């Protein structure tokens, strides 16, 4: 179960990097995810979930803009990989499997980045425009992130 959860949070990071990080941060802040004393304890700090949530909302808004680069360009892709790894490590940390969680989170981010782009392109083509597809992707990322951290 742990491996599936870490892979899936990576998939969410591939869809919306900051959404995955915000969900993990809120779980750490609320002690649902005990990270105290680890290198990732900063995720549960007083202001971290608020800041990351604002970044997640900003990401959802900027994703709608026509000049936003593809999630597959190096900077976007690397960010999603790193966030997927951090989130995967955080979810696996309580069971002392952080390196495996990080690796699976990064793999999930690749799946989410490439798969999410492909699915969104198909949805946008079906709708005849991108906005509905983007909003569906946002909703999936938020709901999935919440379900994943609550099941961890």
């Amino acid at each position: 179960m742990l491996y599936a959860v870490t892979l899936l949070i990576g998939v969410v990071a591939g869809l919306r990097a900051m959404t995955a990080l915000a969900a993990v941060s809120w779980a750490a802040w609320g002690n649902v995810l005990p990270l105290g004393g680890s290198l990732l304890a900063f995720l549960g700090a007083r202001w971290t979930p608020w800041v990351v949530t604002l970044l997640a909302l900003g990401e959802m808004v900027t994703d709608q803009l026509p000049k936003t680069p593809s999630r597959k360009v190096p900077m976007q892709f690397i960010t999603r990989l790193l966030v997927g790894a951090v989130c995967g490590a955080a979810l696996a940390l309580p069971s002392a499997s952080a390196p495996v969680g990080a690796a699976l989170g990064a793999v999930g981010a690749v799946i989410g980045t490439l798969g999410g782009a492909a699915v969104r392109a198909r949805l946008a083509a079906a709708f005849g425009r991108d906005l509905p597809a983007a909003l569906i992707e946002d909703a999936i990322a938020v709901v999935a992130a919440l379900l994943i951290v609550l099941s961890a």
Side-chain angles (χ1 to χ4, degrees):
M1 178 69 170
L2 174 67
Y3 297 137
V5 168
T6 57
L7 181 74
L8 289 173
I9 199 67
V11 172
V12 172
L15 298 176
R16 295 285 181 273
M18 294 298 115
T19 298
L21 195 58
V24 169
S25 183
W26 280 109
W29 179 81
N31 288 324
V32 173
L33 183 60
L35 299 178
S38 74
L39 291 174
L40 298 176
F42 73 93
L43 290 171
R46 184 177 190 181
W47 296 104
T48 305
W50 296 100
V51 170
V52 179
T53 298
L54 287 174
L55 292 173
L57 292 171
E59 180 182 33
M60 288 180 187
V61 169
T62 59
D63 182 62
Q64 314 304 319
L65 302 175
K67 293 191 187 252
T68 301
S70 166
R71 70 182 82 197
K72 297 185 279 185
V73 300
M75 183 60 111
Q76 296 269 354
F77 199 88
I78 290 168
T79 299
R80 291 164 195 268
L81 286 174
L82 292 174
V83 170
V86 167
C87 290
L91 291 179
L93 190 64
S95 66
S97 301
V100 173
L104 287 170
V107 169
V110 171
I111 294 167
T113 301
L114 300 177
V119 170
R120 180 166 163 180
R122 286 190 190 103
L123 283 174
F127 286 118
R129 57 193 190 120
D130 187 60
L131 183 61
L135 295 175
I136 290 169
E137 186 178 17
D138 290 343
I140 289 169
V142 169
V143 170
L146 291 173
L147 292 174
I148 291 163
V149 297
L150 290 175
S151 72

